[in-house]
Amino acid sequence: MAESRRGPLKSAVPSNIVSPVRRCSRTACGRPAVATLTYVYADSTAVLGPLATYAEPHCYDLCSEHSERLTAPRGWEVVRLATDTGPVRPSGDDLEALANAVREAARPHERGQGGAATARDIDPMEVARRGHLRVLRSPDQ
């Protein structure tokens, strides 16, 4: 297989499997995308930010090399939003908030405690609740 400055050349064999990794939008570049480029035509601005959650039709995904070398046409401004190239790790606060939410969801709610009315107080057909699921009385009772 031939070598290029970007690495080994890949053959153009069609595949039925699509890679889940988004690739750079630049022609002949197969590196993984790390940033998304969008244009604000009304402001003559090119915005380069973190990789978008979803691929959009009028956005361009760029690899790290192409995002670093990006230039805009004369008269245009390039806005570079902070991109984090490292893996996102949950913080201690995130984990504590998640644990508290799980504890709250698992805690049984007592009827008639002071404070806000529960769904069972509002809906007399509701017998019990577990998370988002409700147990309802039979209509004949």
Side-chain angles (χ1 to χ4, degrees), residues 8-77:
L9 295 175
K10 296 180 181 166
S11 64
V13 177
S15 171
N16 294 334
I17 300 172
V18 176
S19 171
V21 176
R22 290 188 8 217
R23 301 286 176 193
C24 183
S25 298
R26 295 291 301 260
T27 305
C29 181
R31 290 184 291 263
V34 297
T36 298
L37 172 66
T38 56
Y39 293 103
V40 182
Y41 292 99
D43 298 333
S44 299
T45 305
V47 180
L48 183 68
L51 188 62
T53 307
Y54 300 103
E56 296 288 335
H58 299 290
C59 295
Y60 302 92
D61 295 336
L62 299 176
C63 65
S64 60
E65 182 181 333
H66 285 120
S67 63
E68 290 168 7
R69 296 186 331 180
L70 176 75
T71 60
R74 184 175 299 146
W76 281 59
E77 179 183 0

Side-chain angles (χ1 to χ4, degrees), residues 83-104:
T83 57
D84 184 20
T85 56
V88 178
R89 298 187 52 109
S91 71
D93 292 340
D94 293 339
L95 295 174
E96 186 175 346
L98 178 61
N100 290 338
V102 169
R103 277 190 219 105
E104 179 64 30

